[in-house]
Amino acid sequence: MNVKTAHKTIGYLATGGTISSTPASAGAGVTPSLTAEDLIAAAHPETDGVAFVAEQISQLASSSFDFRLLRTLHGRVTHLAREGVDGIVITQGTDTLEETAFFFNSVWDRTTPVVLTGAMRNPGEIGADGARNLRTAVAVASDPAFVGLGPLVVMNDEVFAAGAVRKAHTSAVDAFVSTAGTAIGMVTEGTPRLFSTPRRSDPQRYGAGDPKVALYRCSLGDSDDILRMIEDGDFDGLVIEGFGGGHVPAWQMPTIERIAGRMPVVLSSRTGQGSVLERTYGFPGSETDLRRHGLVPSGTLNGLQARILLWILLSRSAGPQEIREAYAAC
Ligand code: DAS
C-alpha cells in the first residue's frame, strides 16, 4: 500500500492464534504460521485506502500468552499511537483475547482506538471468519466515531467494549458476548455503527513487578486442599470465584481468613456476570462474612478480569486502600 495515497494509517500487531493457523503438512493440526503481511493481504485489497504499519510480535497460540507479552504489546501500541496512526488493530488467539482486552481497557490512557480481533475458524475451514474479522476491525479502528471510547473487541461483525467481553463458546463464530448486556456497535456492509458509549474507570498504571496472582473457583463439596496449597505457595494475591452472589463453603473460612491475613484476596462470582453482592446474606461463607474477613468485592468484574486488575495493582505494589478503591470504581 502506498502510504501517500492512503486516507488512514492503521498500526497492526499480529501475534498468532487461529486467524493465522495452517497445517504444517496435510492432515496435521493447525499452528500459527501466517504473518501480519499474509493476513493483511487476505483481508484488505490495496484499493481500500488504508496504509498499514505492520509488525509481527509473536507467533503463538494465545494459551501461551503471559504478562511479559502484554507489556510488549502495550509498549508497541503506545509507540504507534505516539507516531500518530489513526487506529491500531491487534490480532491474537481467541482463547485469552478477553484477558488481553481487559488489560488494555485497564491501562490504555490515549484516545487512539485499539481494536482486538481473532478468528474462531482457521483459514482452511469453510466459512473461515478471520479475514472478515480483521477487515471489520480495521473499519472500526479507522472510524472517527470510535475515537476516545477505549479499547474495543470486534468479532463476528459485533463491536464490544474491551472491559466487558468474554468468550462463551468453544467453537461458534458468535462465541464472544458482552458481560454488560449487549454489544456497543455493529459493522454492516463494511460500515461501523455505534449504538452506545462504554463506561470506563480511570486508567491504571502497572509497575515493574510481576506478581503471582492465583485464581480459585468454588465447586460443590470441594475441600480447602487447593486453598491450603495457595496459602503455602509463593503467591502475592488471590481471586476467589465464589458461588452465585459471592459465597464459599463454610468450612473453607478458616483457611481463607488466614490467606487474607497475608495477601490481598478479591471476591468475584463464578457466574461470570453481574456485580458480586456486598450486604445481603449473613451465613458463614457468605459475602458479608467474607468482607468481614478482609476480602475485597470485585464489583462487576468476573474472576479473569479481577485477576488481571490485581496483577496490575500488585505490579506497582499498591496498598490495601488503593486496591479497594480500584475495585470499587469498577
Ligand atoms: N488457537 C487458539 C488461540 O490461539 C484459539 C483461537 O485463536 O481461536 O487462542
Side-chain angles (χ1 to χ4, degrees):
M1 169 62 59
N2 181 349
V3 177
K4 287 205 191 88
T5 59
H7 308 302
K8 298 279 180 182
T9 304
I10 294 297
Y12 172 41
L13 305 179
T15 66
T18 292
I19 193 167
S20 73
S21 292
T22 59
S25 55
V30 298
T31 55
S33 55
L34 298 178
T35 64
E37 283 73 22
D38 296 332
L39 295 174
I40 290 169
H44 242 269
E46 294 238 335
T47 51
D48 271 8
V50 175
F52 289 93
V53 181
E55 199 178 333
Q56 190 75 40
I57 299 291
S58 63
Q59 198 58 289
L60 288 172
S62 72
S63 43
S64 294
F65 271 30
D66 59 14
F67 285 101
R68 196 151 69 155
L69 186 56
L70 295 189
R71 282 181 196 273
T72 302
L73 278 172
H74 183 237
R76 297 313 297 159
V77 168
T78 304
H79 171 76
L80 287 164
R82 284 197 186 127
E83 293 288 296
V85 298
D86 295 290
I88 298 152
V89 172
I90 301 173
T91 51
Q92 75 154 88
T94 59
D95 288 353
T96 61
L97 195 149
E98 68 203 88
E99 285 158 278
T100 310
F102 185 79
F103 173 80
F104 271 98
N105 188 66
S106 303
V107 301
W108 190 234
D109 58 1
R110 293 171 171 267
T111 55
T112 313
V114 177
V115 182
L116 292 101
T117 192
M120 293 302 297
R121 295 176 181 152
N122 72 66
E125 288 185 87
I126 291 174
D129 53 338
R132 186 181 180 102
N133 284 342
L134 178 51
R135 197 182 172 98
T136 50
V138 170
V140 170
S142 315
D143 192 318
F146 292 85
V147 171
L149 298 184
L152 302 163
V153 170
V154 170
M155 289 291 292
N156 196 37
D157 295 346
E158 291 188 291
V159 185
F160 300 96
V165 68
R166 72 187 175 97
K167 184 177 181 180
H169 196 281
T170 54
S171 56
V173 287
D174 62 352
F176 281 78
V177 298
S178 169
T179 58
T182 53
I184 63 156
M186 181 103 201
V187 182
T188 309
E189 295 178 323
T191 304
R193 288 196 172 72
L194 179 66
F195 304 145
S196 59
T197 305
R199 185 188 79 84
R200 274 182 91 202
S201 31
D202 290 341
Q204 295 283 341
R205 185 180 44 80
Y206 59 85
D210 188 13
K212 279 177 74 175
V213 182
L215 176 60
Y216 171 71
R217 173 172 243 216
C218 287
S219 58
L220 187 148
D222 195 16
S223 70
D224 67 347
D225 289 357
I226 294 172
L227 287 166
R228 280 195 283 110
M229 281 184 228
I230 292 169
E231 183 186 9
D232 295 341
D234 60 347
F235 290 98
D236 303 294
L238 167 64
V239 174
I240 295 178
E241 281 189 353
F243 301 107
H247 307 143
V248 303
W251 59 83
Q252 291 184 346
M253 282 308 294
T255 311
I256 291 174
E257 197 182 331
R258 283 197 308 277
I259 299 173
R262 286 182 30 197
M263 65 180 89
V265 183
V266 175
L267 176 65
S268 153
S269 165
R270 70 174 193 169
T271 61
Q273 209 153 329
S275 289
V276 76
L277 298 180
E278 296 194 13
R279 52 182 163 273
T280 299
Y281 295 97
F283 54 81
S286 65
E287 77 280 3
T288 53
D289 195 21
L290 289 161
R291 284 184 71 207
R292 202 169 32 247
H293 288 98
L295 271 72
V296 180
S298 71
T300 58
L301 304 187
N302 64 34
L304 294 176
Q305 295 167 330
R307 177 176 172 272
I308 298 281
L309 181 56
L310 194 52
W311 182 90
I312 290 169
L313 292 163
L314 293 177
S315 74
R316 65 165 199 255
S317 305
Q321 184 60 21
E322 220 183 324
I323 291 174
R324 277 187 186 284
E325 284 170 7
Y327 285 97
C330 289

